[in-house]
Structures are given as structure tokens and as C-alpha cells.
Amino acid sequence: MAESEAEVPKAKPRPIVRLGIFLISHSCLFSVICCTAGVLTLLLLPVLAKNTYISENALMPGSANPMFSSQEVSEANRLVKSLTSLDSKPVGSGIESQRLIAEYMSDLGAEISYHKFYPRSNQFHPLHFFSYPDSGSTRENVSCISHGLNTVGIIRAPRGDGKEAIVLVTPYNSLKVGPGEALSLGIAYSVFSLLTQVTWLAKDIIWLVADSRYGEYAAVNAWLRDYHMPVFSGLSALKAEICPVSNVHNELKENSVTERKINDGFRRAGTMATALVIKVTDGSEHFEDSLSIYAEASNGQMPNLDLINIVNYLAVHRQGLRVKVEKMRSLINCKWLKILGEILQSLGHVAKSLNPQWKFGIPAKDYVEGAATLASSLYYQALGVPTGPHGAFRDYEIDAITMEISSRVALNNKARKNDFLLRGGRLIEGVIRTVNNLLEKFHQSFFLYLLTSPSKFVSVGVYMIAFALLVASLPVVAASLYADAHKVDPSFGIDKSTPQASATDELSITPRSCKWLNAAKKVFLVHLWGAVVSFLPYFICQIPSCTPTTSFVVWVLLSSFSLPILSLILGSSFSYGRPSQPQKRDWTLLKSVTISAAFIGLCLMSVINFATAEIGALLMVPMCLMAQPLKLDIRSRKLRKFLRVACNLALGFLGFPPAGFFVLKGAFEGFGGITVGDFWSWLESIWSWSSATYLYIGWFERTRS
Amino acid sequence: MEPKEQSKEKKEKLWFWNWVIASVIFRLVLIYFPKNLNLASRPEVSTPLTSLRRLAEGYWLKQLSMSPYAGSMYHGSPLLLSLLGPLTVKRIEGQPDHLLCSLVFVIADIVNAMLIRATGQNLQMEYTRSLKLLDHVKLSEKPGKIIPSGDIAALVYLWNPFTIVACVGLSTSPIENLAIILSLYGACKRQAPLAAFGWVIATHLSLYPAILIIPMILLLGYGTDTPPRKLFLQRRNVEVGDNPPNDRCCEREEVVHRSEVPHVFSWRPVIHFFCWTSLWSVYVLVLCGISVKQYGGLWELFKRTYGFMLTVQDLSPNIGVLWYFFAEVFDFFRNFFLIVFHGNILFMMLPLAIRLKHRPCFLAFVYIAISSMLKSYPSVGDSALYLGLLGLFVNELADMQFSFFLFCGYVGVSLLSPVMHNLWIWRGTGNANFYFATAMAYACLQIILVVESVSAMLNHDRKLRKPLTELQDGKN
């Protein structure tokens, strides 16, 4: 682009071309301004956050009076009591409690089925992201000894057609039912019992009692997978062959009075509109009963904002609960953030005094809180690991959140406990009733947003500005470098006569526009290396009996070996020790290509997972812009240059450790088998970029020697 | 000195073959890759016309003695059905499904590359000859100046990710490309039967190559790409003006020159071509007629294949721009816009043919690029073809502008489009506009590519003329 624009200035080019030339000629200034503006906008985001509103009119939250009464509370108490008494018995194994819950459910007239699943270690699928979740799922080697058992109860809606459902999930550890888990089961049970009686229900209700012995996420995920991918008889027979048929079902049936209602098969209830994961923790809060909302699913996907809105609305305005979302605690006490908040506050005051219509100032305290929430929102989205079992639903396009209700004091007091159960039950009833009104899927409100508080959000249109400003400097700088490379050309033509420039001569023979091909080749090689390095863990995973540390060492060794091999295969485009003059033009081209590659990568990432792209951009953009060959800098001994070298080295170091840290963390988590496959793919892309630029800087370091 | 050069040449040849073999191995590795590559179901790779899955379905219907076109699944040619159909059902124990088909596609790709290489060598010979004729000694004798464009084009074709994806992703586009390249090759070698065969088959398989008839005629009539005819005349004038007119020996030279410049349209090969074309098309029609006799005859066949292509009935998303447009357009405007869109290709044909008539191969490239941009169900296989052909003109297009921008654009769009598709279809957070935006960007890139390559080619011609005019001016 630059090239053509630089060539036709004589003929009085069009304004847009002139603008382009202007930008390119002042690329340095432009990039500095853009970067600062990008960072400033990012810091301003808590101020720019809007209040949430319920966008879908059909929802009508809180329009009906809650029907949840003390009768349901006593039902809940009954279940909690029998669960705790069961737990105190020494014999009570997991099956006992499952049986108990099933019995209670069937007393209500619900359809019950058990879902047996085998936990499996999460494997890293290199191309998992582009395929449907778990498309090739049947060929895992499952360990037959350990299996979990989910209990599923379904109420058929009197007014529904069985095509839609709302899911309640209560994860609990069947071996040891804690008091909080018992309470969450109690709340879910009481709501469930209420819903068997109501007439307004238009969607079926599924209550999934997830066996969290092997992790909450695994249980829910296994159930969802079986729900969406029907296993046909042939396959189930195959499964039975693999694992000796355990007689869980028979066992359960023998003991059960309610034999007639328990189904062997897998029960389904249509597409799921929403899923609510209910958890209870107690005694941790100081002020009042509160509700924590967790929404981040894998890859930084969020449920529709309307779901969070209705939960927030009902909890605050109907039940008087304090709603919280995750915050970064360390940021709240941060000095500079406080100062910034105060500056913004005073700025807001000034603006207000100038024109009362301008209302962008927010109190400093709010700003700090908002920034802390925003930071944690960014962090969890960037990490790409779901923050709870709700993450499994998002992979199937189901909006889900985890509601963690926590009480002020330990729930020993009976009246207190009843009150707590009543409020929790009413809240969930209200949410279900609201979602029940929904005519279509959630689609009206945002999917791409960041939360700054439970009732404030930053939409995609706003936060993209920050990112765009940050990244905008990259293409401009790339274009200006590209134009530079072509301007430097003639001077080399003059040098040609000198004997030492024979290498340049050879290069200049290649046609003018294709000179970048060489640079592109180098960049491609580095990226390929990054990709290889990031795929290596997949193969290392296959090595049996490996501790995390050894596999990590193997990984480091392999990845450092793979670079020379690759460069050998691809015609050794790397020429480290070549004593020829550092060619400035070559270098500018290389930098230009690298920057454009980084730009493409960042834009791509911003579409997939904004938070990762934002954090990546914060690291990469300065790194890309400041990178200089060390050799040139060191030769000209000036203070400014030395400063630049120091900056480069520091940035390069900064750019690397996060990647190293992420990878280390990922490696340990992954080998432990906790994280999702997608997490790896994120890791991979972060890693491949970072390694690319790191290596790129490393390359210049080597040219020095 | 000579043995050294020979060894260097040998080395270069070896280098070329190494890369060819590596590409074959790479394809085989990808074929044996576990299923999670899932390329065959990507909208970029398999369109309703090129998907092998649909072909298998058509073959299955035919085995049940139903019309293969029943149920709007299959829309390809019945000949392809009877060629590839038996291979789709044959499974080898322990090997991936459709292994035989994949091997056929790999072989088609290799043959394509070889044909492109042969065409490129032909073109290059002509290029050096015409440069010599024009006395551009500087240009033609500079070492390393003339790049072996045939080798480059073949390697570009083989290693283009689009080609690899189309080949491994079980789409029939390698075979369609084979027909097109075969016809070009035949025309370059001036073998009318081969050219006619390629053209008839290509038209039969995908209809759009029908417009290649103009470059075919020009190729057969004038020969391969040369600088404009005017230049040769000018050159001769310069030489004639140089010497006194009554010099006999010079007259003889002029005669020699005239015989060297074959710029007279020769009708013989063209007439041959037309004869062979009619022969082949009758043959193909008879074969088709036999195979669809029970299922409604040829008319049904035309309706289900060409009609399907021209009326854009399948609106499932692809990398083109038509699906979105025809999903939005009102039904009573539909016919009008169908005519407009397809007329677009036809409108561009004549002006381009007039301007580029001295370079029929390049004209064919431009036609293919335009039709792959505006066709109803484009896939990456089409782009693979024209990008491969672009490599043939490496020498002429060396000074193309925006090459880096285009490269970045192609990389960016080809990465962004699957991501947008994923956001729309699987994650539900995006919508059709996201995906269509990448399709628009892709179309823009193709337009820029065509415009820039044509202008670079014209500039190249101008550059060739420059020394001649200077010579003339100097004399005057």
C-alpha cells in the first residue's frame, strides 16, 4: 500500500491518499499517540460502562408474585435432614444418597433416570476449536473402575410440548455431602417440588444432581455430551463390553420402592433454554446474604447478558441479596488506581460544572471497584478456563451461570436457615419463571461484554475502541517500514560498485516487489517453529508415566532442537553467523513482515477471545514497535540508543516470562487433567506469537555476535 | 565453466523434484491424519457442486436405481459419478475412508502441476525468443533475470495451502482444474484435439470455463503470449530506417524477421479446434444421455446441473458473495439480479479480450480469476487454480504493486473466515454478517489482484516499448 502511495505524490493525489502518506510519514508519532490512547481508553473503560437493562421484553422479570412458601421450605428441610442423617451413618456410600434423592424426586412425580459416566482425562486436541465439541468421543480409554453417577429428574410441563427445557444443576460430592451442598440440594428440591404443582410451566424442568466426585465440570460435561450425542445400541453394547456391567442400576432398583419410575434409558427434554448451577456456601460473609455470579465459560465466552440481568434484578430488587461478581482483590488497594480514580472523579466534577449534561464522572471508589472487576473479568476470559460447571453448557450454545448463594452467618439457627432457604428458593423460582416466559433463545442482549459490576457492563462496541487504538499503529508502521525499505534501495544501487557489497548485488537481482518474500519466509519459519513447540505437549502427553517436571524438560529440549531441524529442512534461511554487513533494508523488511503478521494474529484473536487479544496487544505492540537489531544500536554508542537497547531487552524479557508462566501453569494443570482442551489452544496461540517475537528479538541478539 | 553450470542446473532440477515429492508426502500425511481435521465439511472446501459426500450420495441413489439428482443432493456430472462413484464405496480395511478418491485427487494435483510446468516452459521459451527479437539483450542475457516460471508456478500450485486443502478435503475441484489446465496446455502446444477435449470436459464439469473459448481461439490462432504486435512492427521500422533502403541484404533480413514474427491469425488450428469441439461435445452428450436415460433424459440433467448453478438455488454459506445476496433479495427481483450477476462476467470478457489479445494465457488467467470471484458456488479450489497460474507470469509481473498487501490480505482472510464461521454456527455469538464480511473482503482482494496484475502486465509491455521509442526518437 505504502509503496504505491509514496510513488504518486507529484500528481496531486486524492485526499485519502494524502492522509495515508501523512500518517505513514509520521508513523512514529502516530504509533506513540495510538498506543497511549489505547492504554488510556482501557483505563477509562470503567467510566464508560453502561448500566445493564433487560433487553428482551418477553422476559418480564418479577412480574408475578412468588409462590414459594414456607411449605416448600419445610420440604427442603426434610431432605437436608435426611441427607445429613445419611451422612452420619458410616455405611452410607454414594449410592445411598443418590437413591435417597431419587426417592424424593419420584415422590414428587418426576421422571427419574440415572446417568453413569466415566471420568476421562482431558486431552489436548490441536484443532478442537474448529470442530464441534467432542465430535469423536467414543474411542476413549476409560478407566472402568471409577465411575460417577448423576441423578436426573425431569418434570414435564403441563403447558409445554416437551421441546424446551430449563436445567437446574446441583453439584455435590456423593461420598461426603457437605452442609452447603446439602442446602443447595434442599433449595433445588424445594423449587422442584413447587414446580411440580404450578400450572404456568411451559418448559420442562430438568434437575441434574451432578456427582462431583471427579470434579463438577466433568460430571456436567459428561451428562451434556450424552444428552446431545445419542449413543446407539451398537455402541452401548461396545461400551458394555469394555467395562464389566456394573450392577448399579439393579442395586438401586432393588432397594428402591419407586422401581416403576426409574428408567434405564437416557431421558431427554428438548433443547435447553437456560441452565442454572446452584451452590451454597455459608458463614463467609460479613454484612448480609449475598449472591455471587460466575459466568465465564471456556475461551472467554459469556452467557447472554439478559440472563445475568434477570438474576441480578431479582436478587437485588426482590430478595434483597447483595450481588457480587469476581474482583481482583489486589487491585482494590492499589495506590495508583485510587489516584487515577480521584483524578477522573475531579475531572467529572469539572465537566459537570461546565455543562450539567455531561455526566461521565463516577466516584473514585466506584472506579477502583469497577477496574478491579474489569480486570478479573478480563483475566478469566483471557485464561479461557471456565469458572464453574456452567462452562460446559456454553459449548452447546446454552446460556448458563453459576449462582453461589452465601449466608451471613453459619446456618445453625433454624429460623435463620428457613429464611435463607426461602429467599434462595424464591430467587430461583423467579428466575425460572422469567426464563419460562421466553419465546425464543436468548438473543436480544449482548454476548460480547465485560462486566465492571453486576449491574454495569462494557459492550463490544466500546471495548473494541481501546483495542483498535492499540493495534492501529501496527499496519501504519508496517507500511512505513515497507516504504522505507524501498526508499533505501537506490542508495544500495550506488554502493554496488564496491566489492564488499556483492551480497547485496545478488539480492537486488530479485525483482523489486518480491523482496519481501525472503523476510516472509523467515517469519513463517519462526511461526512454524512456534506452532511446533505448542503442539509438542500433545505428543508429550502420550508418553506414559511422566511426571510434570520431566515432561516439561523434555518439552523444552525438543522445542529447542526443532528449530535447527526446521531451518535445515526449509533451506536454512537463517544465517546467524554470516559476517556480512547488517543490511538495514533487509532488516526493515523483516520487521515490517513481522509486524503485519502480529497485526493479523491480534485481529484474529480479538474476534475469538477479546481479552486474550487485549492482553496480548498490551505486550506485543510495544515490543513490535521498539524492536531494533542490537548490533546496529551498540555500534553507535549513544545514550539514547543504549536506552533503547535496554528497553528492548526488558520488553523481550517481559514478553517471554508470561508465556513461560502460562505454559508452565498449563503444563501442570494439563498433565493433572483439569483444564479444557480449548485452554490449550489458547495457550498455543499466545505461545506461538510470543515465541515468534521473542525469537525474532533473539535473532537480532545473535546478529550482534 | 560448463560442467559447473550443468551441475548447477541439475541441482536446480533435483531441488524442484524434491519439493514435488515433499508435497505428495505432505498430502498423504494429511490424508492419514485423524478425522478431526474435518476439512470435508468446511464450507470453504466443499460446495454443493464439488463435495464428494454429495457425490457418494448420488452414486448410492443411482445404485438403488433412482435418479442421482433426486433430493437435490448431487448436482455434478453423471460422468464424474460413474468415474468416482465406485471409488467412494470401496473401503480398504484399516485405511481411512475415501482413500482411493483422495489418491485420485492427489494424482490429479500432480498432473496439474506437471501440465502447468510444461505450459510455463513453453511460455518462457516464447518470452525469451520475443525478447531476443526485440533486441532486449540486456533483459534477456542478465544472469538469473529470467526465473524458470514453469517450475515456480508448479510449486506455487502444489504448495498453495488452498490446493492442499481442496485436495485433502475431498472436493472434486482438482479434477475440474485438471480439465481447465489440460485445455490451456493443449492450446499452448497448439494441439487442437487436446485443447478441445479439455475445454469440453471443463465446461461440462463446471460450466464457467466456457468463457475460456476466447483465449483458446487466440492461443490457437496467434500462438502463446508475446509482447504486442505493434512492438515488432516498430522494431522492424527502426531497423529498416537504420539502413539505406536499397540495401539488398537488409531486405533479406526483413524477410527473415517477418517469418520470425508469427503474428498472423492462422485459421487452420481454430477450425480444427471447432471440429474437435463439436466432436467431443457430441461424444460427451451421448455418454451423458446414456447414463441418465432412465432418469428424465438430458433436459433433466441440464436443469439439475447447469440450472442449479445459474439460478443459485442452494443458499448455504460459502466464500462467495452470492448466497448472502440472494438470501436477502426479494423473490420478484431474483431473476433480474441473476442476469445481472452472470452478465457481469460476460460484460468483462470482450474489453479484456481486446486489450490483452496478444497475451491469451494471461487473458485465460484473468478470466478464471473473474469467474472464480463471481461464480455461484466458489471454493478455495478455484483460487488455487488462478494463484497457480499467476506463477506463470512471474517474469512479467515482477513489478506488481500491492503484492505484500495482497499476501497479507489472503493470509488474514483465509484465517479469519473459519473463525467467523465458527462464531456464527457453533458458538452462536456471531451472525451471518460476520461471515459475509470476510467473504466481501475476499472478493475485494480478488478484485485488487486482478486489477493490479492486469495493470502490471500492461506496464511491462510499456516498458518493453520504451527503448524502442527512444531508439526511434534518437534517430528522428
Side-chain angles (χ1 to χ4, degrees), chain A residues 50-102:
Chain A
K50 283 188 285 186
N51 282 326
T52 52
Y53 55 93
I54 287 160
S55 176
E56 173 74 85
N57 287 326
L59 284 170
M60 296 190 290
S63 56
N65 283 327
M67 298 165 77
F68 195 90
S69 62
S70 52
Q71 192 197 335
E72 273 78 35
V73 172
S74 63
E75 294 259 320
N77 274 325
R78 202 156 58 84
L79 178 70
V80 172
K81 201 177 282 171
S82 41
L83 271 177
T84 38
S85 68
L86 193 75
D87 204 38
S88 59
K89 266 191 268 177
V91 203
S93 70
I95 288 172
E96 283 300 303
S97 60
Q98 299 278 17
R99 193 186 54 74
L100 185 80
I101 294 165

Side-chain angles (χ1 to χ4, degrees), chain B residues 288-361:
Chain B
C288 285
I290 291 170
S291 62
V292 294
K293 199 171 61 191
Q294 307 104 299
Y295 317 120
L298 278 178
W299 180 242
E300 180 75 5
L301 166 79
F302 288 145
K303 214 169 70 183
R304 290 311 188 111
T305 53
Y306 303 140
F308 180 78
M309 275 179 226
L310 292 177
T311 53
V312 198
Q313 283 162 9
D314 191 318
L315 296 179
S316 56
N318 54 38
I319 52 173
V321 286
L322 265 67
W323 62 273
Y324 190 86
F325 189 81
F326 284 107
E328 300 284 323
V329 82
F330 288 122
D331 253 357
F332 44 85
F333 286 132
R334 202 184 152 88
N335 289 333
F336 171 69
F337 280 111
L338 281 175
I339 292 168
V340 167
F341 270 87
H342 286 111
N344 228 336
I345 302 179
L346 299 180
F347 287 145
M348 274 184 254
M349 274 168 64
L350 201 62
L352 279 170
I354 292 167
R355 193 69 187 81
L356 291 169
K357 66 173 182 299
H358 56 285
R359 293 193 181 275
C361 266

Side-chain angles (χ1 to χ4, degrees), chain A residues 337-662:
Chain A
L337 208 59
K338 267 181 192 162
I339 295 168
L340 193 67
E342 266 152 31
I343 292 171
L344 285 175
Q345 187 184 1
S346 48
L347 265 180
H349 280 307
V350 171
K352 208 170 184 180
S353 64
L354 288 176
N355 185 348
Q357 304 250 301
W358 293 346
K359 285 179 197 159
F360 59 79
I362 59 167
K365 191 168 163 289
D366 282 6
Y367 174 79
V368 174
E369 296 245 314
T373 318
L374 186 76
S376 98
S377 194
L378 268 176
Y379 173 72
Y380 283 111
Q381 286 191 21
L383 212 56
V385 183
T387 47
H390 59 265
F393 286 96
R394 189 60 231 171
D395 290 340
Y396 299 89
E397 284 188 60
I398 302 160
D399 297 298
I401 53 169
T402 296
M403 303 161 66
E404 195 178 86
I405 312 170
S406 41
S407 62
R408 182 176 38 160
V409 285
L411 293 167
N412 298 325
N413 184 351
K414 187 140 193 222
R416 191 58 216 109
K417 188 169 156 188
N418 282 348
D419 178 48
F420 178 75
L421 283 176
L422 190 69
R423 285 162 83 180
R426 282 192 170 162
L427 171 66
I428 289 159
E429 185 214 333
V431 174
I432 287 179
R433 188 149 195 187
T434 313
V435 174
N436 187 52
N437 291 337
L438 199 64
L439 298 174
E440 317 165 56
K441 274 174 62 175
F442 275 113
H443 69 278
Q444 191 84 23
S445 196
F446 295 92
F447 281 103
L448 307 170
Y449 57 91
L450 296 166
L451 285 175
T452 60
S453 84
S455 59
K456 282 196 162 191
F457 75 105
V458 185
S459 77
V460 56
V462 178
Y463 67 59
M464 267 300 181
I465 295 173
F467 179 75
L469 279 174
L470 203 58
V471 187
S473 53
L474 289 183
V476 173
V477 169
S480 83
L481 281 173
Y482 189 74
D484 271 0
H486 287 292
K487 262 182 216 155
V488 173
D489 212 16
S491 68
F492 271 92
I494 296 161
D495 282 350
K496 246 182 218 174
S497 50
T498 57
Q500 60 167 358
S502 60
T504 6
D505 200 355
E506 206 170 297
L507 269 175
S508 63
I509 285 168
T510 51
R512 188 165 151 278
S513 68
C514 294
K515 266 179 298 191
W516 53 268
L517 272 178
N518 230 352
K521 201 168 139 194
K522 272 172 201 157
V523 172
F524 173 72
L525 181 68
V526 173
H527 277 257
L528 194 67
W529 180 63
V532 166
V533 165
S534 52
F535 281 149
L536 274 177
Y538 174 62
F539 298 106
I540 294 172
C541 267
Q542 315 276 326
I543 304 170
S545 70
C546 233
T547 61
T549 24
T550 51
S551 50
F552 186 71
V553 168
V554 168
W555 184 43
V556 170
L557 282 179
L558 274 181
S559 45
S560 46
F561 273 126
S562 59
L563 177 65
I565 294 170
L566 266 178
S567 59
L568 210 84
I569 291 170
L570 287 181
S572 66
S573 60
F574 271 113
S575 42
Y576 298 125
R578 198 171 66 181
S580 75
Q581 252 185 336
Q583 290 158 13
K584 194 143 189 267
R585 188 196 53 192
D586 260 10
W587 175 77
T588 25
L589 271 179
L590 185 62
K591 185 173 172 183
S592 157
V593 174
T594 314
I595 288 179
S596 7
F599 176 67
I600 293 173
L602 282 174
C603 286
L604 206 66
M605 205 53 172
S606 76
V607 179
I608 302 169
N609 185 348
F610 170 77
T612 312
E614 176 74 48
I615 292 173
L618 281 176
L619 285 173
M620 304 252 314
V621 170
M623 204 151 78
C624 282
L625 295 183
M626 311 245 319
Q628 287 280 333
L630 292 173
K631 194 175 175 184
L632 281 181
D633 279 359
I634 283 184
R635 216 177 252 171
S636 54
R637 306 174 179 223
K638 283 177 191 162
L639 183 69
R640 200 169 60 87
K641 297 258 175 165
F642 269 118
L643 264 179
R644 201 161 68 180
V645 172
C647 268
N648 275 332
L649 285 181
L651 273 173
F653 191 67
L654 244 174
F656 191 57
F661 167 69
F662 272 128

Side-chain angles (χ1 to χ4, degrees), chain A residues 272-284:
Chain A
M272 301 177 206
T274 315
L276 300 170
V277 182
I278 303 160
K279 284 187 191 173
V280 173
T281 56
D282 57 359
S284 59

